[in-house]
């Protein structure tokens, strides 16, 4: 029982951190847009200030991706189907009750690589990075 409470507290904390990271990202995007507007109004072509903001947005994207991944893993530790809430057996790919895909299923034979764009560890066969969207193999 105490493990479930700890997991629920940890899940709540992760969701709050995820919301904070998303809010920060929105603020950065607004800031980026305001800077673009000023540059266009003034006819300036120095984009260095935009590159810094864009870099901060990319950092927030990585944080958001990692929080989402942690939340998925924590939800998986409850071993319940996200649709029908029935217990899942082991590392089941699908729910034995309703057939819903287990979003936290991890194929033990999956090989990983690092994204050329954001350096997140991703599935070796991924055509695009699930964190930053960078096309793989053409980086």
């Amino acid at each position: 029982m105490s493990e479930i409470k700890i997991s629920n507290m940890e899940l709540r904390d992760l969701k709050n951190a995820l919301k904070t990271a998303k809010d920060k990202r929105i603020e950065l995007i607004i800031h980026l847009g305001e800077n673009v507007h000023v540059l266009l109004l003034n006819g300036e072509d120095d984009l260095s200030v935009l590159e810094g903001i864009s870099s901060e947005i990319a950092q927030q994207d990585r944080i958001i991706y990692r929080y989402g991944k942690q939340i998925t893993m924590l939800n998986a530790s409850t071993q319940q189907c996200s649709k029908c809430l029935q217990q899942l057996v082991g590392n089941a790919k699908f729910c034995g009750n309703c057939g819903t895909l287990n979003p936290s299923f991890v194929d033990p034979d999956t090989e990983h690589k690092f994204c050329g764009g954001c350096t997140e560890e991703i599935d070796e066969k991924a055509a695009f990075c699930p964190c930053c969207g960078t096309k793989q193999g053409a980086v």
Side-chain angles (χ1 to χ4, degrees):
M1 184 73 108
S2 64
E3 286 181 31
I4 292 173
K5 286 182 182 178
I6 291 171
S7 293
N8 286 339
M9 286 176 44
E10 188 176 354
L11 183 59
R12 185 189 71 233
D13 292 345
L14 282 170
K15 286 181 177 181
N16 287 337
L18 178 61
K19 183 184 179 326
T20 301
K22 286 180 175 182
D23 290 346
K24 174 68 176 172
R25 184 180 189 276
I26 289 169
E27 289 174 19
L28 288 167
I29 289 173
I30 291 169
H31 185 60
L32 179 69
E34 290 169 345
N35 277 278
V36 168
H37 178 68
V38 169
L39 288 173
L40 291 173
L41 281 177
N42 296 329
E44 297 178 29
D45 58 2
D46 180 16
L47 302 180
S48 59
V49 74
L50 302 181
E51 291 167 354
I53 299 169
S54 179
S55 182
E56 289 181 56
I57 293 170
Q59 178 62 28
Q60 286 305 120
D61 286 341
R62 287 189 291 278
I63 291 169
I64 290 167
Y65 175 76
R66 290 175 187 157
Y67 281 141
K69 201 171 175 182
Q70 287 178 326
I71 289 169
T72 299
M73 288 171 46
L74 193 57
N75 281 334
S77 69
T78 63
Q79 291 299 310
Q80 283 186 329
C81 174
S82 60
K83 183 175 181 182
C84 71
L85 302 178
Q86 292 295 311
Q87 284 298 119
L88 295 174
V89 179
N91 188 27
K93 186 171 185 176
F94 297 95
C95 174
N97 186 56
C98 71
T100 299
L101 177 65
N102 178 0
S104 59
F105 171 74
V106 178
D107 183 350
D109 298 327
T110 300
E111 294 187 27
H112 294 90
K113 65 181 177 183
F114 293 100
C115 171
C118 68
T119 68
E120 279 296 318
E121 187 177 27
I122 62 172
D123 185 330
E124 175 72 33
K125 296 177 184 173
F128 293 87
C129 175
C131 178
C132 70
T134 300
K135 184 171 182 167
Q136 300 301 299
V139 179

